[in-house]
Amino acid sequence: MISVFVAGCKTVPVSRTVRAIELLDDESAFYIAIPSSADSDLVQKIIKSYVPSLSDSNAKMICEKIDTVYCGISNKKNHMDFQCVVSGNIPVNMMPKILTKKNGWETSKIIPQDSSTQYNLYSISNENFSIDMSFPSANLAVLGRDVPKMIGRYDFLSKLPTDDFELNTIIEKNLADFLNGAENEIRFCANKPQSFLTILTGAKLDLKLKEVSGVFVQDEKHENQYILNLKFMFKNEKYLKAGKTLLTLAFGLTNSQSIIVETDELQINGIKLDKNQLIKLFLP
């Protein structure tokens, strides 16, 4: 897939390892990290939703090799705008056999600025959907919005010194560290939380929020349910107490499940939510 290979040649410099989280931009309203170990069925649903032309067998084969899916999502003019970076053991050699012209895919080349390296770009477009996809390494796949920009960023980062271990991200460092730390739980952050709350609770709550973040795991007792722990950051502390009451009512919780941590921070733990209700946030 890539015209330059680094293995087995002393004269070719070793590439710096590029982390998936380093390729997301800061233009999304909602970010989520989904480790396959946290919910492999959800990972397969996402891949099938974002790339509906994949057969079930190919989607299953690809998903079995995925470690974590990172997504940045926005809703623009009644359609979902997303970019996605997948980490894992990507079957790069198999992709040209799957993303064929016969299956509706067109192949072109990306050559980032000030680079001599070529990357394959796979594109498909029809009346139902359109998507771009590329595989800059055997460990990463990128798809969705601004794939050429993500490839350009990959190319730049891969050529930094190999002893540069710091996360080099466009999104805020705290957000990157939070998402990158997802292992056996799904982590998310909504920078524009009003639409997030409307989908989650079914109510239009104007709580003057700056951010909502949290983690969720599958409920061991109910396979169609998640358990959520949420953190709400308010713009103004005077809204926090009123927000606590409204959120407690919206989620049907007891006071023991909500905690005021700081003057502008509220935590609500142990929320039980139907999987389909939450999945609506990040599937088209």
Side-chain angles (χ1 to χ4, degrees):
M1 299 292 294
I2 304 176
S3 62
V4 176
F5 294 86
V6 299
C9 182
K10 292 183 179 180
T11 60
V12 179
V14 177
S15 295
R16 171 189 180 271
T17 299
V18 179
R19 274 69 60 94
I21 198 70
E22 295 179 306
L23 302 183
L24 290 178
D25 65 28
D26 59 356
E27 297 179 17
S28 296
F30 182 88
Y31 294 90
I32 188 165
I34 308 170
S36 184
S37 59
D39 193 338
S40 58
D41 289 339
L42 177 57
V43 169
Q44 189 162 334
K45 283 183 180 179
I46 289 173
I47 297 301
K48 277 292 291 179
S49 293
Y50 289 176
V51 194
S53 64
L54 285 179
S55 67
D56 290 341
S57 59
N58 283 333
K60 185 175 185 296
M61 179 271 293
I62 292 169
C63 290
E64 287 174 349
K65 300 178 182 298
I66 289 175
D67 291 332
T68 306
V69 176
Y70 299 89
C71 292
I73 302 164
S74 296
N75 284 312
K76 296 182 178 180
K77 296 181 180 179
N78 298 318
H79 79 277
M80 178 177 287
D81 178 72
F82 76 93
Q83 61 177 192
C84 186
V85 187
V86 178
S87 68
N89 182 19
I90 309 300
V92 173
N93 292 333
M94 287 291 297
M95 301 319 294
K97 301 174 184 178
I98 296 172
L99 307 177
T100 63
K101 191 167 185 177
K102 181 180 177 181
N103 291 331
W105 293 87
E106 298 292 336
T107 305
S108 57
K109 299 291 184 181
I110 300 173
I111 304 176
Q113 186 175 0
D114 301 323
S115 174
S116 60
T117 307
Q118 293 187 356
Y119 302 86
N120 281 348
L121 174 68
Y122 299 91
S123 304
I124 190 169
S125 181
N126 57 43
E127 60 183 11
N128 297 315
F129 69 97
S130 62
I131 194 169
D132 291 333
M133 187 184 310
S134 188
F135 307 90
S137 77
N139 303 112
L140 294 172
V142 297
L143 57 151
R145 170 172 48 82
D146 289 338
V147 165
K149 287 184 179 179
M150 286 193 282
I151 291 298
R153 182 159 177 77
Y154 170 87
D155 189 80
F156 164 74
L157 292 172
S158 69
K159 293 170 182 174
L160 293 178
T162 56
D163 59 355
D164 179 359
F165 301 115
E166 290 293 318
L167 279 179
N168 188 324
T169 62
I170 299 175
I171 61 176
E172 292 183 3
K173 181 68 162 54
N174 289 342
L175 173 58
D177 288 339
F178 173 67
L179 295 174
N180 204 49
E183 293 182 356
N184 296 313
E185 62 188 16
I186 298 167
R187 296 187 175 190
F188 69 91
C189 181
N191 295 329
K192 297 179 180 178
Q194 295 307 138
S195 58
F196 168 82
L197 281 180
T198 299
I199 292 173
L200 214 58
T201 66
K204 292 187 177 181
L205 304 174
D206 186 7
L207 302 178
K208 308 301 180 186
L209 288 163
K210 291 189 296 184
E211 179 184 291
V212 179
S213 62
V215 302
F216 55 97
V217 296
Q218 293 190 84
D219 188 338
E220 294 180 354
K221 297 179 180 179
H222 302 281
E223 64 178 15
N224 294 319
Q225 186 168 268
Y226 287 125
I227 304 295
L228 283 74
N229 295 329
L230 301 179
K231 181 173 74 173
F232 300 85
M233 302 296 296
F234 289 81
K235 294 179 180 178
N236 191 311
E237 64 180 286
K238 73 178 183 179
Y239 293 104
L240 189 146
K241 290 185 178 180
K244 177 178 181 292
T245 300
L246 288 171
L247 288 167
T248 299
L249 290 172
F251 287 113
L253 306 172
T254 63
N255 288 335
S256 62
Q257 292 173 292
S258 57
I259 307 165
I260 294 177
V261 179
E262 301 286 348
T263 57
D264 61 350
E265 180 181 332
L266 172 69
Q267 292 182 5
I268 302 182
N269 300 321
I271 302 168
K272 296 179 180 180
L273 197 69
D274 180 86
K275 275 190 175 185
N276 291 328
Q277 189 173 350
L278 194 59
I279 288 172
K280 285 190 297 184
L281 284 168
F282 44 87
L283 290 188

